[in-house]
Amino acid sequence: MRALMQERQLLISTLIEHAALNHPLTEIVSRNCDGETVRLNYSQLRSRAAKIAKALIALGIEGGDRVATLAWNTHRHMELYFGVSGMGAVLHTVNPRLFPDQIEYIINHAEDRVLFFDTTFAELVARLRPKLKFTTTLVVMTDRAHMPAGLEDCLCYEDLVAEQDDELDWPQFEETRASSLCYTSGTTGNPKGVLYSHRSTVLHSFTACASDGLKVSSRDCILLAVPLFHVNAWGIPYTSAMCGAKLVLPGPWLDGKSLFELAAAEGCTMSLGVPTVWLGFLKYLDDHPELDLSRLRFDRIVIGGSAAPRAIIERLHEKLGAYTIQAWGMSETSPLGTIGNLLPQHDGLTLDEQFALRAKQGRVIYGVEVRITDDNNRPLPRDGKTSGDLKVRGPWVAAAYFKGEGGDVLDDEGWFATGDVASIDQQGFVQITDRSKDVIKSGGEWISSIDLENAAVAHPAVQEAAVIGLPHPKWQERPLLLVVAKPGAAVDGADILAFLADRVARWWLPDDVVFVEELPHTATGKLQKNRLREQFKDFTFKH
Ligand code: AMP
């Protein structure tokens, strides 16, 4: 029997309409690329999103066409989030930190018809332009006064907005239609496109609002320190509109000083970012003991994208009284997969025990199923000890890559292999041990490079650490620890090994410690271990 409920489609346009109608005066504060701070509210954001949607229609853009952005966290980029998807086209947020060759590849692969870009990327776009096969319209995201020289024939964003009125009934279509596209940074091979739907995006937003999710609500003022080009800024633009949270957009400035000043000035209650952003933020606080930290009102900080070292979680608690929610996910999971909230039975634990739990990647949330399997795809126990290949499935998990790249990515039961190795405990806490290709296999056992790195960064003289496995004649592989020391710190390898000896099993201790000036990162801030393995392939352990 078919139900008798309304089949209103879950469309992204409904989010901005809801925010404009029910939270019209809630602000979006944006630091734009020219350094100016712009304040607008959801009613104005909706109006400008509708105008840009109408401008796209006037330019001949149709439902399903791809529209690219090369842009920072600004109100104009947010307007495109709603304007482009709302009118039925697909918003392709390009990561400007990729190599120019990769940017060219993905814009051509996506067949983007329009490219919106910030003035910061004028030079990059001028170089890319002759190589773009499908992109016939270029729009600079600025006003007439700031149009960069040499790109006079590009369209100007504010002109497009000024030419339209905001009367628009957003088109209605099936919620399963594509809304946005993000390419995985892919450390090997070409990047692959993940194509999100209106439905997957709206369902994902409900989870971010949920109390056992990221608890986003109309009481929040969110400092968005994760870029809008990094997996839809973890869904926060949509989530904020769903619940009417105030949003603070830092533009291109993600350094400690800029984040501190914005958070203090706007009274931010929540922020999200990768561990590197928080390392920079904490370093800024350390270097400036004169700062009045009582100006910060952070209640919780979401860390994801790479493992959040326990040392960061502890320091955010000690310095700011902020609760760190660790989240695990990937482009293919929209990205929320697991979220690190504790359960009532953990209330009685000591702070030390709670930190240990929060350093895990978090618990399963409704909508994402997880399991771990052995090499033959047989499920392994959820005992918190056994490690296996992490598989996921759910309504906001990818079913395939754009244009079928990479072939079938699901097994017969619909599970997607994440490429991560993890354990899961009885209560659904997931702990990522490694990327499967980064696991160190020593004497038939596994050593977690993530655990070793987290232990090493707890040393007061260590700024950043990476552990890679190198071939070993007796043990097959052994760990090498690479350390970036804090400026001016007097520390040697023996100090660090002595520090680690109290924190990890004896046989996990790295066979050597090498100090380096810096470590290589991917475009989304992850350690590039393949490059490190290449760089140190001729390294020989002393014993
Ligand atoms: P991407 O699709 O580029 O965002 O990369 C996703 C990958 O980042 C995951 O498969 C994990 O390997 C890693 N990752 C994301 N969040 C975490 C986390 N909280 N802890 C450990 N690894 C993470």
Side-chain angles (χ1 to χ4, degrees), residues 104 108 115 122-135 138 151:
E104 176 195 331
N108 283 334
L115 170 61
E123 241 176 73
L124 171 67
V125 172
R127 268 186 286 134
L128 278 175
R129 202 173 173 179
K131 300 176 191 153
L132 302 182
K133 297 190 195 138
F134 306 92
T135 316
L138 299 176
L151 291 172

Side-chain angles (χ1 to χ4, degrees), residues 235-249:
I236 291 300
Y238 312 113
T239 305
S240 307
M242 177 176 268
C243 65
K246 174 177 167 181
L247 253 192
V248 179
L249 304 169

Side-chain angles (χ1 to χ4, degrees), residues 210-247:
S211 289
D212 280 332
L214 301 182
K215 311 181 202 307
V216 182
S217 82
S218 57
R219 289 171 190 275
D220 277 313
C221 169
I222 306 175
L223 176 64
L224 198 61
V226 57
L228 286 166
F229 54 77
H230 188 192
V231 206
N232 306 313
W234 303 354
I236 291 300
Y238 312 113
T239 305
S240 307
M242 177 176 268
C243 65
K246 174 177 167 181
L247 253 192

Side-chain angles (χ1 to χ4, degrees), residues 294-428:
S294 69
R295 292 176 64 210
L296 293 178
R297 289 183 45 215
F298 284 132
D299 158 65
R300 62 208 185 285
I301 286 179
V302 181
I303 304 188
S306 301
R310 174 178 165 148
I312 298 191
I313 301 174
E314 277 182 37
R315 298 207 48 229
L316 288 171
H317 171 83
E318 281 156 14
K319 279 217 160 262
L320 311 178
Y323 187 98
T324 301
I325 302 181
Q326 172 152 203
W328 167 89
M330 50 200 316
S331 309
E332 292 86 338
T333 63
S334 293
L336 290 177
T338 59
I339 303 182
N341 289 304
L342 301 188
L343 294 166
Q345 57 264 45
H346 302 127
D347 289 350
L349 295 180
T350 62
L351 205 50
D352 193 54
E353 290 164 330
Q354 291 192 2
F355 284 140
L357 267 181
R358 276 151 58 182
K360 294 191 176 191
Q361 273 64 28
R363 295 188 62 244
V364 172
I365 41 180
Y366 174 79
V368 179
E369 291 174 79
V370 299
R371 75 176 189 184
I372 47 172
T373 57
D374 65 14
D375 290 346
N376 298 315
N377 203 18
R378 278 190 304 249
L380 291 168
R382 290 163 72 118
D383 58 10
K385 293 190 211 90
T386 313
S387 281
D389 294 322
L390 181 65
K391 311 275 169 74
V392 290
R393 65 180 181 191
W396 57 84
V397 177
Y401 290 107
F402 189 43
K403 295 188 174 173
E405 295 291 335
D408 286 343
V409 294
L410 305 186
D411 70 13
D412 293 347
E413 294 166 78
W415 294 96
F416 175 85
T418 63
D420 287 327
V421 175
S423 64
I424 307 176
D425 74 13
Q426 231 183 3
Q427 294 159 328

Side-chain angles (χ1 to χ4, degrees), residues 93-162:
T93 49
V94 182
N95 184 340
R97 295 184 183 138
L98 293 171
F99 293 117
D101 285 357
Q102 286 179 314
I103 296 181
E104 176 195 331
Y105 170 85
I106 65 175
I107 293 181
N108 283 334
H109 188 268
E111 301 182 31
D112 294 324
R113 290 198 50 201
V114 185
L115 170 61
F116 284 87
F117 61 98
D118 276 332
T119 48
T120 346
F121 303 115
E123 241 176 73
L124 171 67
V125 172
R127 268 186 286 134
L128 278 175
R129 202 173 173 179
K131 300 176 191 153
L132 302 182
K133 297 190 195 138
F134 306 92
T135 316
T136 45
T137 307
L138 299 176
V139 186
V140 193
M141 294 165 70
T142 190
D143 54 20
R144 238 327 109 197
H146 293 91
M147 283 295 279
L151 291 172
E152 286 82 5
D153 56 335
C154 295
L155 299 176
C156 167
Y157 188 94
E158 288 304 324
D159 288 354
L160 290 183
V161 170

